[in-house]
Amino acid sequence: MTLDIAADLLTLLRDTGTEPRPDQQLEALMLAVAADLPVLLWGEPGIGKTAALNQLADQLGLPLTTVIASVHEPSDFAGLPVVGDDPAGQGVPLAPPDWAVRLARTGRGLLFLDELSTAPPAVQAALLRLVLERRVGALRLPDGIRIVAAANPRASAADGWELSPPLANRFVHLQWTYDHDVVVRGLGGVWPRPELPRLDPRRLRQAVDFARRAVCGLLAARPALVHKLPGTEAKRGGPWPSPRSWDMTLRLVAFATAAGASRDVLSMLVRGTVGDGPGLELLASLDRIDLPDPEVLLADPDAAVLPERGDLRQTVLDAVVAAVRNRPDRARWTAAWALLARALETGAPDVVVVPATTLAALRRDDWDVPPAIERLAGVVAMSARASG
């Protein structure tokens, strides 16, 4: 066997094609990179984190620079002191490493910090300024540089360390997994070619307004979520809420909204920035942020458009009944019954039961039972209670 024949065989093995296929992980990664936020990919060894970065760099047309964090000294990121002719008068500058100089000369690219969870605490401390301020020694990396890191869980990392809380809080954490069908089809010669998200220039202002209302509305109602350092070392090395990470979350909500990203992609980004608990609370509040105003519905119940989702419809009907309770009068009470009847006609009947029970209890003695209540009698036996 000659090496020429071996080279021919290797060429045939590398001869693969692609096909369009959605990839929510890559979409979330792309949005975080577009938002100019440092991203940390968590996943077991060998599942394709580096391959995903190479694919992303190719699709964005960016050069990829890989730095293995665990094999570097703190001075490689903080800068190497260089003594000049007059250190007492001019100081001692910190010279950046060659990879940082190349990035600065290029002006754009992806900086990939691999094996982050095997970097010792001293190296993690040196990385803080690089990740947050884009500074390596005396050199500031250009704005066109994006930072992505990768780490293995501590259990599967060689000599692994938990990330320090200050470093962890500077990243968007994305859990990276593999798709069985993608792997099988790719090994067969056809790898996926995902369509990367595109920002709609017509939605930019609307996206910013929406993100600000969502995040500020949640934190106004839940002030304890503004800063909440986890109690265990492992959780401190992941996403958790702080003013810094909420600012990152606001930016991600705006980018996901402008791109029309799916709820699953938005969930990856939000939970990967402030953690599962606060992230799920924000997602729940996003569902309710654009719900119709109860007063508008009561003013014209015949023209009301109710949400399709059952939980959101229940929320709207509960809000309508609460509005009547806060300012009760016959016309508003009657309009609320018309809304409940409309909800019964256009959706599942179970969401009507609790609001109807509460609304019936609000009736005054001189209020006539409206015709709409009769249409509800077959589902919720409220007519007798309302007239009793």
Side-chain angles (χ1 to χ4, degrees), residues 289-336:
I289 195 170
D290 286 328
L291 293 181
D293 187 336
E295 296 297 338
V296 173
L297 298 178
L298 288 170
D300 189 4
D302 293 334
V305 177
L306 298 173
E308 294 291 332
R309 272 179 48 184
D311 59 333
L312 301 183
R313 179 169 291 210
Q314 179 85 62
T315 299
V316 169
L317 296 179
D318 289 342
V320 165
V321 174
V324 174
R325 181 194 297 112
N326 293 335
R327 188 158 60 87
D329 67 39
R330 180 185 301 177
R332 290 161 62 80
W333 188 72
T334 302

Side-chain angles (χ1 to χ4, degrees), residues 242-278:
S242 72
R244 178 193 295 118
S245 58
W246 279 117
D247 180 64
M248 294 163 61
T249 301
L250 190 153
R251 192 186 301 190
L252 290 170
V253 172
F255 268 76
T257 302
S262 69
R263 182 181 177 83
D264 289 339
V265 169
L266 180 59
S267 177
M268 290 181 195
L269 293 170
V270 168
R271 294 165 62 197
T273 308
V274 292
D276 286 341

Side-chain angles (χ1 to χ4, degrees), residues 198-221:
R198 297 180 182 275
L199 300 174
D200 185 345
R202 299 166 299 178
R203 303 179 64 181
L204 301 186
R205 173 58 60 186
Q206 172 192 355
V208 171
D209 292 342
F210 177 79
R212 285 176 174 165
R213 282 191 296 131
V215 173
C216 295
L218 174 65
L219 297 184

Side-chain angles (χ1 to χ4, degrees), residues 75-90:
S75 58
D76 293 337
F77 300 105
L80 298 168
V82 178
V83 179
D85 295 334
D86 185 14
Q90 299 178 0

Side-chain angles (χ1 to χ4, degrees), residues 108-179:
R108 56 197 298 270
L110 278 176
L111 171 58
F112 180 33
L113 303 173
D114 203 1
E115 303 293 345
L116 199 63
S117 56
T118 59
V123 173
Q124 292 187 27
L127 283 169
L128 288 174
R129 200 172 183 216
L130 169 61
V131 174
L132 184 63
E133 301 178 17
R134 311 296 175 88
R135 286 193 175 276
V136 185
L139 176 68
R140 188 186 188 282
L141 297 178
D143 292 337
I145 304 299
R146 300 294 194 262
I147 297 176
V148 181
N152 302 321
R154 184 174 182 178
S156 55
D159 296 324
W161 301 80
E162 298 289 357
L163 289 193
S164 67
L167 184 60
N169 198 237
R170 285 164 166 79
F171 281 104
V172 179
H173 299 251
L174 296 180
Q175 301 299 322
W176 212 257
T177 59
Y178 69 89
D179 185 313

